[in-house]
Every structure is written in C-alpha cells, then in structure tokens.
Amino acid sequence: MADTVITGLGVFAPTGIGAEEHWTAVLDGKSGIGHITRFDASGYPVVLAGEVPGFDAREHVPGRLIPQTDTWTHLALAAAEAALADSGADPKSLPEYEMAVVTSSSSGGTAFGQGEMERLYQKGPSWVGAYQSIAWFYAATTGQISIQHGMRGPCGVICAEQAGGLDVVAQARRLLRTQSRLVVTGGTDSAMCPYGLVAQMANGLMSTSDDPARAYVPFDADARGYVPGEGGAILIAERAEGAEGRGYGAILGHASGFDQSERTGRPPVLAATIRRALDDAGLNPSGVDVVFADAAGTPELDRIEAEALAAVFGPRGVPVTAPKTLTGRLYGGGAPLDVATALLALRDGVIPHTAGTERLARGMEIDLVLGQPRQQPLSTALVVARGYGGFTAALVLGRGDRA
Amino acid sequence: MSTFSLDDLREIMRQSAGVEAGVDLDADITDIEFIELGYDSLALLELAIQVKRKYGVSIPDDDVVDMTTPRIAVEYINRQLVGAEV
Amino acid sequence: MTRKAVITGVGVVAPGGVGREAFWDTLTAGRTATREITLFDASEFRSRIAAEADFDAVAAGLSAREIRRMDRAAQFAVVSAREALRDSGITGVDPGRIAVSIGSAVGCTMGLEEEYAVLSDGGRQWLVDHTYGVPHLYGYMVPSTLAVEVANEVSAEGPVGLISTGCTSGLDAVSHGAQLIQEGAADLVLAGATDAPISPITSACFDAIKATSPSNHDAAHASRPFDKRRDGFVLGEGSAVMVLEEEESARRRGAHIYAEVAGFASRSNAFHMTGLKPDGREMAEAITVALRRAKLDKSDVDYINAHGSGTKQNDRHETAAFKRSLGNRAYEVPVSSIKSMVGHSLGAIGSIEVAACALALDRQVVPPTANLHHADPECDLDYVPLVAREHAMDAVLSVGSGFGGFQTAMLLTRV
C-alpha cells in the first residue's frame, strides 16, 4: 500500500556529500574506498575503508554541537539537515508531537569513546569529559536530531547491525500509519578509530586486501570479505497524503526475520523474509524490477543470498546490484544509503552496476549488473540487508511522483 | 603558569562547547552570563573539566554552579592558580 | 479484530537477588540493594556506590562457553529470558512466529571497556594492539549482540531487534514487543531489557556531569527519590525479560496471565540531552496518549510506578507530569520508585519496572519508595514511603524518562 513515501534524502557517504554527488559517483563507478587516512592503519591487517571525503563538521553542524557529539552524529545531523531541506517539508508548520525520529546505529560514538577511555585509563576518572555521557550512547543521534528540529514525537533507535537501517524505515511507516506525519529516519555510523577498526576486525568477515578496486567484490569468485565504511543516509518519510509531487518513492512492503542457519542447521530465512515483504507490498516476485543486494562479500554469505534470490525470483530472474562496493559496508548507515540509491534508480530508470565484481563465483545464479549501468524502466525495487548475528530484513520500494 | 586570561577562557570555551550561531566570543563577554552565550550547565561542567586538564585546577561542584559569568570564572581560576603555587 | 498482548512469563536479574521471586521479595520488604562498588576499584571516583546484582553466572546455569562469550549484560538477558520462558510454560511455537525485542542503553560496555584496557595497554596506545583482540570483541562493539543471544536462546526466526533509547530503552522494547503481537507479526515475543553499566567509564561519565549520588558514606540509603535530601541517582544493573503472547492463545493453553500491555506512547522534549523542564509537559502528553490507546480514563489508573531516579529535576518534572496528565487522580493514587531499592540500571530499569508492575498487579501489592524520610514540599503526592502496601489495582502506569529528552509511558491492566 503506497500510503507512506520518502520525500527527502540526505546523503553523507564515501561516494560523496549530497544525494546527487553520490548518485553521479555510483553511475560512474567512482569508488570512495581507499587507504584509511583518519589514523595510521598500516600496522593492521585491514587497511582500507570508505571514508566520507572532505567532511568538515564545521561546515555542516552547528558549532555548539560539534564538541558534544561524535563523528557519527555529525554525519547524521548534517544529513538530517540536508534531507529536510530536500523534502520540501516545513517542520515549523507541523504539529510538534507529530514529528518523530527513528535512526539506526550499530556502534555509537566509537572514536569519542576511545578518546575518553584513554583519558580515564591514563589520567583518571575526573579527566573524563562531560559529553561522554551523551556522545557515546546509541541514542545520541536520534536525541540530537529531535532537539535540533523541535520534533517531540516518538524517538527510536534500532540496533540490528546492517539490517537495522531497513527496520527503522519500517518503524517510520508504522508511526506514519498510526500517529506521526513526518519521520526522520535512516542512519549513519562511523567507527573510524583504531579501537573501532580492531573491534570490527574481530568478526572475521573483513577483507585484508590492500587493493581498493578488488578488496570488496561480493558474489565474485575472489570474494574475500568486506571493506568497512562510514556515513550513510538520513531519509524523510511522510504520509503520501500531503506529499503529492514530493515523493522519491513509496514504502510498499517490509519484513524482517532472524537467521538461525549457521547455528542450528535450519534453512536460511532470507527467502521467506523476502516473500513476506512482497506479500506486505501486495506484489508477486515478477513485480520486482531490481534488487539491491546485501552483498556481504564472503563466499558463504554471498551463496546464501544468491540462493535466496534464485529461489524467490528464479535463476537470474531479476537484475541484482550492489553499489555498496563503492562505499564499503556502512553498518547502521548502509541500508538507508541503499534505500536512497534505489530511489534514485527508480527516479531515473537506471540500474547502477556493481563495480569491482568481475566474475561470478560458481553457483551464483543471479543476474548481477556488471560493468556499466543498465537503462530500463523501473517501478519497484527490493532492498535486502543482513546484520551480524542473523538479522535479516527486506524492504520494497515503489517509484515516486516527485516532480 | 600563574595567570589565566579571558583569552585563555575563550579558547577553552571554544573547545568545550563550541560557539553558538550569533554569539561572538571575541566581543566583550566579561559580564555576560554563560547561559546567554549558549553555555548550559553541561557545557560549564565540560569547561571545568578542561580547565582541570589544562591548568590542573579542580573546581568543586558548587563552585561550578556559582561561576555565572566569564569574569567570575577567570577570577576564580586565577585565585586557584595562585593558591596552587604557594 | 484486535489482538491483545499479555505477559505470561517474567524473568528478572536484579540487585538484591537473582530471579523473579527474590526480586519481588526485595521490593516488598523495602530492602535496599545499594552498596559500595565491588565490581571495580572505585576509590578515585566521585560516586563510589551502586546497586550490584549478586550474580553468579555458573549458579545461574550458564555454561563455560557462554560465560566466556557473553558480556555481563548478555548473561543477565539470557538468564532472565530462560526464567521467563520457564515461567510461561510456552512450547512448540513456530520459530518464524517468535520475535525478540531487547532494550539496552549502553550495550556491552563492560566487555568493550575491559578489552580496550588490554588492547591499549592501560590507555597507553592509541593504535591499540589488535593481536590481543578476543574473538567476540565485535560482539561487544555492537549492542545488537544482546538481542542475538536472546534470539538464539529461543531459536527465534521472526523479527529481532535491539532498541536503544537510553533510559527509556526498557519500556520502549516492551512496547515494541507488544506491538508485534498486536499487529500479528509474532505469536511469542521475548521482550525486555538489560544493562550492566557498573564499570569505570560509565561511572566516570556520570561523575563528570554530577548525575550520580556522592553519598558514599551511606551507600544503603543513597538512592532517595522524592526525598528532600536526595542528591542524584545510584547506578544499578540487571535485566528483566517478559514473555508476551496474544491473549486468546494464552488463554487457550491455560497460561497464567500477569497483565495486558494495554497502552504505550513515547514523546520527546526536544529541549536538552540531559535537562528537563519542570513542567513535565511531554511526559504528560505520553501518559495521555498511552491512556487513550489503552482505552482508559485517568480515573482508571490505580498505581504509578514512577521513573523516580532521585535527581531533583526528575522528581519535580514527573510529579508535574502526573498532575498535568491525571489531574486530581495524581493525588489519589500511590506513586513509588523501585530505584530507591534496586538503583537505576539505565536501559534495563524500564523493563525491570514493567516486571514490578506485572507482579504488583498480579499480587495486588504496591512496592514502596525506600529511604523516603523527608518530604520535598514540591513533591506532594503519595509516594508510599518505606513500606509496601496492599492495594486493589486494575490498571497501573509505568513511566520512564531519559537522556535525549525521551519520555515513555505504559499502562498494564489486569485481565
């Protein structure tokens, strides 16, 4: 049911600042992945990441908020500002209790936290700053956005690693259907500090390649893990009624599930989750024009995803793409960025290609768009996201009426 | 270091709480209340912690509350610095 | 057709005693579990007191591997979930219809901090040494691990999420769980919250903003909500997990029903990350909306389980919110804060308070506010000082208030 729409996109990603800059980079296959510059990572097995290029918080975030928040929140505040401006909605004209904020976060204010822990362990407890209490915790971004824009409706934060970014959009839709008129949603993450990187490495799923072009190549025969990144997208969700002519696209369907296959030997839940999302959208598999894949980048997880897509859509039954090879996996910000990219694809009738991946691994029965973008009319897109531990989510989007 | 100037305070204010749009810290802020300069209780606590980090001066809880203007803060910190040298 | 979400199982790990009955015993005895911190050397801290859970992971049934893998907060959650499941007696639910909604304010901070200390060599290395990283370090970094552990415990394949809205996480997670039942997205939800924040970094961050009580000389009486001499909250830890089911199916299987999660709402003050205005306006709005959703009138409220953190600004803020939303009814009903006994366990406490409310409804007893000896003239409601009270209740209100400006209200009703 097309009763809720996305009207604003705020993108701060390794592929660029601003939705259009990001979209141009995606269509050009211009990667934001490179050697880590924020600190000296040369001594670590993982040396590549997607950093937001040229991001200076002072240009985008009110001065007073900079010292009291982490980079992850700077990126979100900046993206929220951009998304609101893009939406054409005027928060000042809306009832304060009917505006809500629901963001996804995966690791909170990691770099801020490392700095304060260093003070604590080196100097003692009285050296820990007053802002540690409000910068590190996972709700910092939602709280600051709510305050910054006078939004007094429900505030939410969902942590489900990479899948949380779709679950927040579903929560936004739930709020729009029951009580809210505008929801700031999506999310960002940034764990670009030594402890953040080292903690991520412990999951054993990251690429140790030092070749930015080939380090993260999901579904490829040479898939060897993923590259981490920072940033993401903040999205403005509104009721379709009242947003005529402003919608990038509609939120048609959602489902989430939890995969127990690795632990229990039960079948993976991804295919069933996608089917439930399609049911929610009232679509048959044939009604989906493109899939934005989770694209974990490890052989086993890629295989599970490819098999699920083949099971639902038939072997090579639908075009599949993963522009996240240009940004790395952005955790809480990853799926919202995929949603933004999918909406831009729907708008322009073009499927961006998956840069980096060259030769599909054996058994990958998917039509992965490679080499260059594919022009074709698009009405609907499916976005898939999975989060560490078993989180699984699927979101169906429909093309909007944005003038 | 035995004196703490208004400029030293300005520097710490910039670091500890940033600058609110529309506020000019370089103007004569001596007797303007912190709250009017955009520095709330949390910002003042952070300011006190930064003073401790940089100058080794601990400001007890109650005294932070009493530091309502830059003039009072500068005078207070100077008294502590002089005391610390004795 | 409206599906109602009911609580049929309660599991608790709280200061004062592990397990639901030990918890209820602490509350009804009006016993305080606050004490000098033993979990780390707090001698250099401003606040050196906390409400610690006497939690023995082995005695609680965790295996050696679980203990190695899980942060303390995860251990609490899993032990609570097991108790709740046993209590409910539910079995045989299709995994795809099982959901998990766990709240936490600070996630696996304790594990994250302990590992930081090792990898950084006591804070000496900014470029931390990855060769010392433990395999589950990433599990500490992402708070979603807490939901993963509970999901694995029940082999959930339905929606699973970790809700992290600071100190309202617990109420928000139970609300979300109830919503999944009401919408028909799940038939069984493990809903609750967990936090284990009694660690140097968390203590230091509350020290820095003078939020926690410095009454180190009198740890047992340091948490004094609504008392004129209160001086901050006392950090706590713990977990509560509830089994939520759809009412009709719970009745069909003859389950004991503690309460219905009848209504809930959250609002934000959009004012300040830590500050509250004294008028209680947004919390009052949350209460009003929650009542409307529960189809209750303010005169139906029989007991208020307050946020009652023991900071002056909170106590006045919520007292104003109760009056603003309930009018004269605020003066007629008992209001109490269990944080006076079990401390403030950040995100977990909201779910621990839901557990307390479910038990209060079930047993028709109101837990007291301990340590309340000197009334604050600005807090002039009936705060049930010191002694638990038998009281007839059909509907109870629980509220939470937290950093970020978040305010949540929930109504539980007897069914």
Side-chain angles (χ1 to χ4, degrees):
Chain A
M1 200 172 32
D3 57 344
T4 53
V5 294
I6 307 285
T7 57
L9 310 178
V11 173
F12 280 71
T15 31
I17 290 175
E20 298 306 329
E21 189 176 309
H22 159 74
W23 182 228
T24 302
V26 167
L27 293 176
D28 291 346
K30 190 166 151 264
S31 176
I33 289 173
H35 282 81
I36 292 170
T37 63
R38 209 69 64 74
F39 58 93
D40 178 8
S42 59
Y44 296 126
V46 171
V47 295
L48 300 178
E51 297 176 334
V52 180
F55 179 68
D56 181 348
R58 288 170 300 183
E59 292 171 16
H60 302 282
V61 180
R64 211 173 49 74
L65 296 181
I66 294 173
Q68 52 174 286
T69 49
D70 178 83
T71 307
W72 142 72
T73 302
H74 297 164
L75 290 163
L77 282 166
E81 190 79 46
L84 277 167
D86 186 39
S87 74
D90 177 14
K92 291 191 175 59
S93 72
L94 291 170
E96 56 186 356
Y97 292 125
E98 296 183 26
M99 294 182 284
V101 185
V102 187
T103 66
S104 67
S105 168
S106 191
S107 58
T110 311
F112 199 107
Q114 183 178 351
E116 296 298 332
M117 285 197 292
E118 184 171 276
R119 290 203 177 92
L120 169 64
Y121 280 83
Q122 278 289 285
K123 307 275 195 175
S126 62
W127 288 69
V128 171
Y131 299 136
Q132 168 70 0
S133 59
I134 59 165
W136 196 17
F137 78 140
Y138 311 98
T141 289
T142 282
Q144 293 284 9
I145 291 174
S146 145
I147 294 169
Q148 186 63 17
H149 298 288
M151 298 175 169
R152 296 196 162 87
C155 274
V157 180
I158 298 176
C159 307
E161 220 241 17
Q162 186 95 8
L166 295 187
D167 292 341
V168 291
V169 176
Q171 177 64 12
R173 181 178 66 159
R174 183 182 274 131
L175 290 172
L176 291 171
R177 284 177 169 174
T178 54
Q179 54 177 309
S180 305
R181 288 181 33 188
L182 181 149
V183 186
V184 179
T185 187
T188 58
D189 255 313
S190 175
M192 298 304 296
C193 64
Y195 191 45
L197 180 69
V198 166
Q200 291 170 71
M201 276 160 36
N203 68 22
L205 300 171
M206 287 166 71
S207 171
T208 54
S209 162
D210 65 354
D211 175 3
R214 291 284 295 163
Y216 175 33
V217 286
F219 306 111
D220 193 288
D222 290 335
R224 62 190 78 176
Y226 73 90
V227 171
E230 66 172 350
I234 295 291
L235 314 167
I236 306 303
E238 297 184 64
R239 293 181 187 164
E241 192 183 339
E244 292 82 2
R246 295 192 289 119
Y248 281 97
I251 307 165
L252 297 179
H254 169 269
S256 63
F258 194 81
D259 198 287
Q260 296 280 355
S261 62
E262 199 183 333
R263 211 177 51 85
T264 64
R266 288 174 55 83
V269 299
L270 182 53
T273 305
I274 292 171
R275 287 194 183 101
R276 281 195 285 120
L278 293 178
D279 285 348
D280 186 35
L283 286 177
N284 291 316
S286 61
V288 173
D289 296 325
V290 59
V291 175
F292 285 74
D294 173 62
T298 64
E300 177 63 9
L301 288 167
D302 286 350
R303 182 187 60 75
I304 289 174
E305 184 169 27
E307 285 178 358
L309 294 176
V312 175
F313 298 99
R316 290 176 294 281
V318 64
V320 177
T321 190
K324 59 167 67 76
T325 56
L326 302 173
T327 62
R329 288 176 74 80
L330 310 184
Y331 306 102
L337 184 64
D338 277 344
V339 169
T341 309
L343 290 169
L344 293 165
L346 290 171
R347 182 191 70 181
D348 292 352
V350 54
I351 302 171
H353 59 294
T354 304
T357 298
E358 289 167 1
R359 190 167 50 92
L360 290 190
R362 191 190 301 270
M364 300 289 174
E365 299 284 324
I366 55 171
D367 172 17
L368 192 68
V369 178
L370 296 174
Q372 60 185 25
R374 190 185 293 177
Q375 308 280 341
Q376 72 176 66
L378 301 171
S379 300
T380 59
L382 169 73
V383 182
V384 174
R386 290 176 294 179
Y388 182 78
F391 299 99
T392 305
L395 186 77
V396 185
L397 299 166
R399 193 177 59 206
D401 61 356
R402 195 175 173 92
Chain B
M1 191 180 291
S2 62
T3 56
F4 180 87
S5 69
L6 186 59
D7 280 339
D8 294 330
L9 184 73
R10 286 190 174 106
E11 178 59 26
I12 285 185
M13 287 171 72
R14 283 194 182 91
Q15 281 175 13
S16 63
V19 181
E20 184 97 312
V23 171
D24 179 11
L25 283 191
D26 293 322
D28 182 11
I29 57 167
T30 319
D31 292 308
I32 301 178
E33 295 213 343
F34 280 115
I35 196 81
E36 283 179 44
L37 294 167
Y39 294 73
D40 59 14
S41 59
L42 206 56
L44 286 179
L45 288 167
E46 176 67 15
L47 185 145
I49 290 162
Q50 299 237 12
V51 167
K52 182 189 162 107
R53 279 184 202 158
K54 265 188 130 164
Y55 296 92
V57 171
S58 294
I59 309 174
D61 305 359
D62 292 344
D63 295 352
V64 175
V65 177
D66 292 338
M67 288 194 322
T68 51
T69 64
R71 180 194 300 277
I72 298 172
V74 169
E75 287 173 357
Y76 179 93
I77 294 162
N78 271 315
R79 277 200 302 279
Q80 303 299 309
L81 281 169
V82 171
E85 279 189 352
V86 174
Chain C
M1 185 190 74
T2 42
R3 287 165 55 99
K4 292 181 176 177
V6 296
I7 298 173
T8 59
V10 177
V12 183
V13 172
V18 172
R20 180 184 63 253
E21 295 309 320
F23 167 65
W24 185 243
D25 191 49
T26 300
L27 296 192
T28 49
R31 203 162 50 230
T32 65
T34 53
R35 66 189 185 200
E36 286 181 28
I37 289 175
T38 64
L39 284 164
F40 66 94
D41 175 5
S43 55
E44 283 183 51
F45 287 68
R46 177 180 180 272
S47 177
R48 301 188 286 278
I49 47 184
E52 296 175 335
D54 289 312
F55 180 76
D56 178 333
V58 175
L62 294 171
S63 72
R65 283 186 179 186
E66 288 169 334
I67 294 167
R68 176 76 62 85
R69 182 179 78 235
M70 292 184 200
D71 177 80
R72 187 170 169 90
Q75 295 181 11
F76 290 168
V78 165
V79 169
S80 303
R82 285 179 187 167
E83 185 185 21
L85 276 175
R86 272 198 312 276
D87 186 33
S88 77
I90 193 165
T91 54
V93 180
D94 168 9
R97 300 290 300 165
I98 303 176
V100 170
S101 176
I102 298 294
S104 182
V106 299
C108 305
T109 297
M110 199 178 256
L112 207 52
E113 180 177 2
E114 282 170 5
E115 294 306 318
Y116 166 78
V118 175
L119 270 64
S120 68
D121 194 17
R124 276 179 282 274
Q125 294 178 9
W126 175 251
L127 295 172
V128 299
D129 188 341
H130 67 280
T131 63
Y132 284 91
V134 293
H136 19 270
L137 180 55
Y138 188 61
Y140 296 157
M141 183 186 192
V142 292
S144 42
T145 301
L146 300 169
V148 170
E149 290 289 358
V150 174
N152 289 345
E153 193 58 36
V154 291
S155 295
E157 292 186 353
V160 172
L162 187 285
I163 309 284
S164 191
T165 39
C167 297
T168 57
S169 299
L171 278 175
D172 292 340
V174 176
S175 299
H176 183 66
Q179 200 144 27
L180 292 173
I181 295 284
Q182 290 169 349
E183 288 174 356
D187 294 328
L188 162 64
V189 183
L190 276 288
T194 184
D195 265 306
I198 306 172
S199 73
I201 189 63
T202 310
S203 295
C205 84
F206 291 123
D207 267 11
I209 58 170
K210 329 286 184 196
T212 38
S213 168
S215 292
N216 300 307
H217 55 283
D218 191 11
H221 306 103
S223 183
R224 298 187 289 269
F226 306 113
D227 188 288
K228 197 169 60 181
R229 302 198 296 187
R230 58 172 131 33
D231 57 6
F233 76 84
V234 176
L235 204 52
E237 61 173 355
S239 170
V241 174
M242 267 62 67
V243 166
L244 303 181
E245 290 177 72
E246 194 274 315
E247 186 191 12
E248 289 310 314
S249 71
R251 285 199 189 286
R252 273 199 300 278
R253 70 178 188 89
H256 174 69
I257 297 175
Y258 287 89
E260 181 195 348
V261 182
F264 40 84
S266 65
R267 292 292 181 262
S268 316
N269 65 26
F271 164 61
H272 196 271
M273 287 298 283
T274 62
L276 296 167
K277 284 186 185 166
D279 60 13
R281 183 172 168 270
E282 295 80 15
M283 181 186 274
E285 173 73 10
I287 293 169
T288 302
V289 175
L291 278 169
R292 195 163 64 226
R293 295 229 194 106
K295 298 186 172 66
L296 292 173
D297 186 77
K298 53 194 171 188
S299 62
D300 295 324
V301 174
D302 296 315
Y303 162 58
I304 303 173
N305 185 283
H307 181 65
S309 59
T311 65
K312 193 185 285 182
Q313 73 163 0
N314 171 78
D315 293 354
R316 292 179 179 176
H317 169 263
E318 67 175 328
T319 295
F322 300 150
K323 294 177 186 174
R324 199 182 178 101
S325 56
L326 303 181
N328 275 339
R329 187 64 178 170
Y331 293 93
E332 296 165 3
V333 295
V335 179
S336 68
S337 168
I338 67 166
K339 293 187 183 74
S340 59
M341 297 171 277
V342 298
H344 185 358
S345 42
L346 306 183
I349 194 66
S351 67
I352 294 173
E353 287 168 346
V354 171
C357 287
L359 293 166
L361 266 181
D362 190 53
R363 294 162 192 192
Q364 299 286 294
V365 173
V366 169
T369 303
N371 302 323
L372 176 46
H373 296 285
H374 307 89
D376 173 353
E378 293 193 45
C379 297
D380 55 353
L381 304 178
D382 172 8
Y383 300 103
V384 198
L386 309 180
V387 181
R389 194 185 292 173
E390 289 192 12
H391 185 63
M393 290 171 273
D394 289 317
V396 306
L397 167 67
S398 193
V399 297
S401 174
F403 282 11
F406 310 153
Q407 318 295 330
T408 299
M410 175 180 285
L411 284 143
L412 299 183
T413 53
R414 208 174 177 202
V415 290

